[in-house]
Amino acid sequence: VVDYGTSEPDLYDAELRWTDQQVGRLLDELVRLPSNERTIIIITSDHGESMGEHGIPSGTHGTALYREMLHVPLIVYVPNNQPRVMGGAVSPLDILPTIAEITGIDVKDLSFEGKSLVPQVFYGKDDLERIVFAETNAPSPIRASISVKNRLIYYLHSNLYELYDLATDPNEKTNLAPKNPPALALMKSALDAWLERVLYARDPRFNQASKVMNELVLPAAPTPEVVTQGQRLADGNLEILGIGIADTSARPAPGARIEINVFFRVKARTQTAYRFLLGAWPVDSRTWKPTDAAPTTMMRSLMRPTGDGMFASDRWRAGEYIRDRFTITLPADWKGDSLAVGLVASDPSGDKAEATGAAPANDPSLLILGVLPLAGPPAGNP
């Protein structure tokens, strides 16, 4: 309907103009109908759009939790109600309980993450201390807590935080988290409580990540194929029970891509969100010793938190049994009848835990977990 230009912002503005016209057509028709004076109108949006801010390509949404992607309109029109601007943070999750209260729908047997905005809409009673939350998993899990004063963004995979003062820095250019201001503790506390309630709830009815949790939290004590001796983390609060091949139908063979389970028992909750790396190399079980030097040619998994950050070790609870799974590909030319398996555990600062059990002479941070039997080489290889 209008040509502002060919750039991404120009095209976006033209799209807004078209949308405005179509909403206008709808509202003009509504005025003609007898139901107009009994109709509540709510206008909102599912997301904003990047126009190149924060180094994110124009026309992108859903990949970050900055203002340009989250701050959307929320217009609540009630006939004959005085117009006012709502202060404080609100959420699209507030729409349902707001409609229910205005229209008198009985929802006393239900619970909502959002809150009714009737106090704001009708009486101007803004909740300036409220903190709301946002999330995305594309391309990696990110969560945020947002108040009228601050935005805290938490990257679960890297365990990093960004904190912005929205009053002095509305475009979110200066990350205050490294300075550890008082607002950081407040926003982290609110975010942590929300994560525990919504993301890490052990009740699958309320847990957004129940599928991930079912893969990682075992219903009972496991029986590892190989029992690990003496390896503990976090001052003994995390005990490594053993290892096993995820696919038990066949022994791993050189040339195969395999998944190795590592089993943990949580004796007490730890505040450390460990990142784990699994290493494996071929050995002759008749002569190998756990203190033998580990080869530089060992195969390694990626260093990452459990569940790609969705269920890092600081979220494990006392009494739980955890299964973490690592994928590696075994070279086809490996020789040996067994596969030695070791684990590296790094805290968020990059410091590696030293083994409390056996470790290779050349690497005290490689926790020896045991050896798994190997099948013979693939057909055609000597």
Side-chain angles (χ1 to χ4, degrees):
V1 297
V2 66
D3 185 0
Y4 291 120
T6 58
S7 70
E8 288 283 355
D10 290 338
L11 295 171
Y12 194 65
D13 287 344
E15 196 173 4
L16 293 176
R17 175 66 178 272
W18 180 87
T19 302
D20 183 61
Q21 289 185 348
Q22 302 311 310
V23 173
R25 289 179 59 207
L26 177 64
L27 299 182
D28 287 343
E29 182 65 19
L30 180 62
V31 170
R32 297 178 55 249
L33 300 176
S35 59
N36 181 49
E37 290 302 313
R38 295 183 292 106
T39 300
I40 298 168
I41 301 168
I42 298 178
I43 297 178
T44 189
S45 175
D46 51 352
H47 56 76
E49 203 82 8
S50 172
M51 289 297 144
E53 306 94 333
H54 297 97
I56 299 170
S58 295
T60 300
H61 60 259
T63 60
L65 298 180
Y66 296 112
R67 179 183 186 277
E68 58 268 20
M69 297 190 188
L70 293 187
H71 191 190
V72 298
L74 179 55
I75 302 170
V76 181
Y77 169 77
V78 181
N80 302 315
N81 187 50
Q82 178 183 348
R84 54 175 53 89
V85 177
M86 290 186 286
V90 298
S91 164
L93 295 176
D94 300 334
I95 293 174
L96 177 54
T98 300
I99 292 175
E101 184 170 359
I102 293 175
T103 58
I105 298 173
D106 184 1
V107 293
K108 64 177 181 295
D109 293 333
L110 303 177
S111 61
F112 301 101
E113 183 68 25
K115 294 182 178 180
S116 170
L117 299 178
V118 162
Q120 291 95 319
V121 171
F122 287 93
Y123 310 113
K125 296 181 179 180
D126 296 328
D127 185 356
L128 299 179
E129 302 302 318
R130 186 182 178 195
I131 298 174
V132 297
F133 307 96
E135 60 186 344
T136 185
N137 292 327
S140 62
I142 313 171
R143 301 296 184 265
S145 55
I146 305 147
S147 70
V148 72
K149 300 174 184 177
N150 298 105
R151 181 188 309 270
L152 179 69
I153 302 174
Y154 174 41
Y155 298 86
L156 278 71
H157 186 86
S158 60
N159 198 40
L160 294 177
Y161 290 89
E162 295 176 6
L163 177 71
Y164 299 100
D165 185 324
L166 302 182
T168 62
D169 182 23
N171 293 321
E172 302 166 343
K173 299 295 185 182
T174 304
N175 178 15
L176 301 177
K179 299 179 180 179
N180 197 30
L184 180 62
L186 173 65
M187 300 302 286
K188 281 181 69 174
S189 176
L191 182 62
D192 187 70
W194 177 72
L195 288 171
E196 286 292 313
R197 184 175 73 252
V198 176
L199 186 61
Y200 298 117
R202 271 41 175 190
D203 187 336
R205 293 174 297 173
F206 304 106
N207 184 2
Q208 300 168 351
S210 59
K211 184 176 180 181
V212 174
M213 297 276 284
N214 288 339
E215 285 288 319
L216 301 173
V217 181
L218 301 178
T223 305
E225 180 180 349
V226 174
V227 175
T228 296
Q229 302 294 330
Q231 301 291 15
R232 294 176 175 83
L233 297 168
D235 297 322
N237 290 325
L238 302 181
E239 180 184 2
I240 303 178
L241 300 178
I243 55 176
I245 299 298
D247 181 4
T248 58
S249 62
R251 290 197 301 171
R257 180 180 175 86
I258 64 171
E259 290 185 331
I260 296 177
N261 290 326
V262 179
F263 299 98
F264 298 83
R265 180 167 71 97
V266 185
K267 300 181 70 175
R269 188 161 180 178
T270 173
Q271 298 301 311
T272 306
Y274 285 108
R275 298 168 64 85
F276 296 115
L277 175 150
L278 186 126
W281 62 99
V283 297
D284 185 333
S285 62
R286 296 168 296 180
T287 59
W288 177 80
K289 299 186 297 297
T291 54
D292 288 349
T296 57
T297 55
M298 77 170 71
M299 298 306 297
R300 299 172 173 86
S301 71
L302 295 175
M303 175 75 83
R304 84 296 184 273
T306 305
D308 286 332
M310 293 291 283
F311 194 52
S313 56
D314 61 337
R315 300 292 175 177
W316 303 352
R317 296 180 181 176
E320 290 183 333
Y321 295 94
I322 307 297
R323 172 181 56 199
D324 204 348
R325 185 169 291 180
F326 300 84
T327 301
I328 59 172
T329 299
L330 308 182
D333 60 353
W334 270 10
K335 304 293 193 301
D337 64 3
S338 297
L339 187 69
V341 179
L343 188 75
V344 176
S346 170
D347 67 19
S349 66
D351 293 334
K352 297 176 181 177
E354 291 199 3
T356 56
N362 60 340
D363 190 353
S365 66
L366 185 60
L367 287 62
I368 295 297
L369 305 185
V371 293
L372 295 166
L374 273 175
N381 287 335

